[in-house]
Structure formats: C-alpha cells, structure tokens
Amino acid sequence: MRRFFVEKIPAEEGSVTIAGSEARHITRVLRMGPGDRFVLLDRRGLRFQVVIRSTEQGVVTVFLERPLPSPPASPVQLFIGQAVLKSGAMDLVIQKTTELGVNTIHPFISQRTVVRPREDKRAKRVKRWQDIAIAASKQSDRSRPPEITAVTTFTELLQRPFPEETLKIILWEEEEGRDLKSTLRSTLDRSKAVLALVGPEGGFAPGEISRAQEAGFRPVSLGPQILRAETAAIALGAVINYESFTPKRKDT
Ligand code: SAM
C-alpha cells in the first residue's frame, strides 16, 4: 500500500487533511479519490491505514481507519556529521544513509569544505535535504525520517553533546592503526550510539584530526582505498546496519 507523510497525525481527531505536494501526488499523479486507501506516516513514527473521504480544492481529507505497527528501529542510533558536499553528492548521502537507518545528519563546514552555503541560503538547503530524507523514508518504509540539523561548523559539532556512551569516530583515510571493524566489534555492544564525522571532498585538515581526538573522537580507517566522501558515508551506514541488525525471530 502506498505511503504518504505528514508532520503530525492528530490521532485523537480521527481524520487528517493533507495539502501541498503530498496532496498533489495523491490526486494528480496517482489519481486517487474517495474510498481509496493508503498508509499515512508522521515525523514521530505514528502510522495509520487511512481511507480518503474527499479531495476538494487540492486538499485531501482522510479518515484514520486503524493504527499500524511501525517497523523496528535499529538497536544502534547512528548520527553522521557530514561536511557539506557539492549538491549531487550531498543529496546522495542524505538519501542513502536515510535508507540505511541514520537517525540524525549534522551538516557542517570545515577548513577544506569546497561548498560553503551563505548563511541566508542554509535554511533552504536544509529544507531540501529534509524533503529528500522524507521521500527516502517513505520509500524505505522507515518508522520515521531522520532529523537534519542546521548547518554548523566543525568546531561547534565537536562540542555538541551526544547521548552518554556514544562511540565517537572520525573517518580518516590516513589512519593506519585503527579500522572500523575492530573499533565497532570492541565497543558497539556497550555504546548504543555511534557518531561518525565524514570529511569534505578535500578531506580533514591535520589540525582537525587532532582537535577531534582531543574531543574524544577516534580516527578510523575504512580500508586502503581513498573513497569519495559520499561513498565513505554510505559505506559507514551499511556497516553499522550490518553490525547492528538482528533479524526478527519468527517465534517473537
Ligand atoms: N584525502 C582525500 C583525497 O586524497 O582525495 C580527500 C578526502 S576523501 C575524498 C573524503 C572523506 O571521505 C575523508 O575526509 C574521509 O572522511 C572519508 N574517507 C575516504 N576514504 C576513507 C578511508 N579509506 N578511510 C576512512 N575515511 C575515508
């Protein structure tokens, strides 16, 4: 059944009105109308089977027929600090890490960031990324979309508070002593959250690596190849997914 998203489902009211791009997609692209059913999701992870009551003046009114169980969230929370990349690459990171279960993406500017969105343009970029994350959440049937925070600086991100016991890593292609596998295997069962920083096209500056270490981050290698930043972020998401996913047992 098709899935659509609203910011908040007022479950107590029994019905919801949907406007904007979601309503246009329902009525104009899919030509759905009264009596048709779909799944409605919201940002908090609520999920209902709904039936269309009316589609007047571009607004779709639906009745909440029954609540649906949400798919299980990953047992490990993944936060990715991603240096802002050129448009297509950043869109790819947002889309693919959303499919792979990232909880929050923190875009940041660092010394070698090539793309530096102006202050007055940043909110628009973040809105675009949030729209990409919502679309990828619907497509991958996640319980809720990831949060995309405002663009910040590398320095501020190093100081941002994260849940106790979060494993903090910085992906560094010049790291020779520590690889992601042994780092995760030795710590993941204790820390139920991973915060990973991924650099820009030009990489992290040496001073940034040492400042990250002083802030408790462990430089970690993904292997001998030099990956594009978007490849590194997606590979990281896939590995965390692999390491933390436990198939639902049939008898549960
Ligand atoms: N020094 C790189 C070069 O020579 O092209 C530039 C950085 S790389 C294109 C972009 C980012 O991807 C890096 O800052 C790092 O965070 C991550 N990365 C790429 N390859 C990696 C690897 N083998 N291990 C860990 N991180 C890697």
Side-chain angles (χ1 to χ4, degrees):
M1 203 180 269
R2 295 266 178 178
R3 289 180 292 277
F4 290 94
F5 175 87
V6 290
E7 276 300 321
K8 188 165 181 262
I9 297 176
E12 64 291 346
E13 288 170 21
S15 71
V16 177
T17 55
I18 304 167
S21 59
E22 291 290 73
R24 278 193 298 279
H25 195 115
I26 292 167
T27 53
R28 294 225 199 114
V29 175
L30 300 174
R31 300 207 170 286
M32 295 173 89
D36 287 333
R37 288 180 166 79
F38 58 81
V39 174
L40 191 61
L41 320 167
D42 80 356
R43 188 167 288 283
R44 297 167 299 167
L46 278 188
R47 167 182 291 247
F48 277 83
Q49 175 180 299
V50 301
V51 60
I52 297 177
R53 281 275 186 268
S54 70
T55 56
E56 265 126 44
Q57 277 100 31
V59 172
V60 177
T61 303
V62 298
F63 172 72
L64 302 178
E65 278 193 312
R66 62 191 180 95
L68 297 172
S70 274
S74 161
V76 171
Q77 282 192 297
L78 173 57
F79 310 118
I80 293 179
Q82 176 62 59
V84 175
L85 302 172
K86 288 181 189 139
S87 179
M90 194 69 177
D91 293 357
L92 199 66
V93 169
I94 304 283
Q95 184 187 61
K96 298 309 174 196
T97 58
T98 295
E99 291 172 44
L100 288 163
V102 69
N103 290 74
T104 309
I105 298 171
H106 303 270
F108 66 87
I109 306 277
S110 61
Q111 278 179 32
R112 295 181 183 167
T113 308
V114 174
V115 175
R116 294 174 169 277
R118 284 205 331 253
E119 291 277 349
D120 61 340
K121 297 259 190 256
R122 290 180 183 181
K124 198 163 163 240
R125 292 292 294 272
V126 171
K127 172 74 174 70
R128 172 188 167 78
W129 296 333
Q130 286 170 339
D131 290 347
I132 290 170
I134 288 169
S137 295
K138 289 193 308 183
Q139 177 276 320
S140 56
D141 199 21
R142 281 182 52 141
S143 58
R144 67 180 78 182
E147 187 193 350
I148 316 283
T149 59
V151 177
T152 186
T153 63
F154 179 73
T155 303
E156 191 281 324
L157 191 52
L158 291 186
Q159 289 140 14
R160 191 170 288 186
F162 282 85
E164 195 64 30
E165 291 291 302
T166 296
L167 168 62
K168 294 182 175 181
I169 58 177
I170 180 166
L171 299 190
W172 191 37
E173 59 284 8
E174 296 176 34
E175 170 59 31
E176 285 169 4
R178 191 183 289 119
D179 65 280
L180 183 57
K181 182 164 70 178
S182 54
T183 302
L184 291 178
R185 294 278 159 95
S186 60
T187 50
L188 202 51
D189 55 346
R190 277 200 318 279
S191 60
K192 288 291 172 229
V194 176
L195 166 61
L197 304 183
V198 185
E201 292 88 345
F204 287 113
E208 289 174 329
I209 297 293
S210 42
R211 280 194 296 132
Q213 285 180 287
E214 285 155 19
F217 286 79
R218 305 175 202 200
V220 165
S221 169
L222 290 175
Q225 296 80 11
I226 302 284
L227 309 174
R228 285 176 177 273
E230 58 272 31
T231 310
I234 295 166
L236 173 89
V239 166
I240 300 291
N241 217 320
Y242 171 79
E243 283 294 319
S244 56
F245 176 67
T246 43
K248 204 160 146 244
R249 286 181 12 178
K250 291 277 174 290
D251 55 353
T252 49

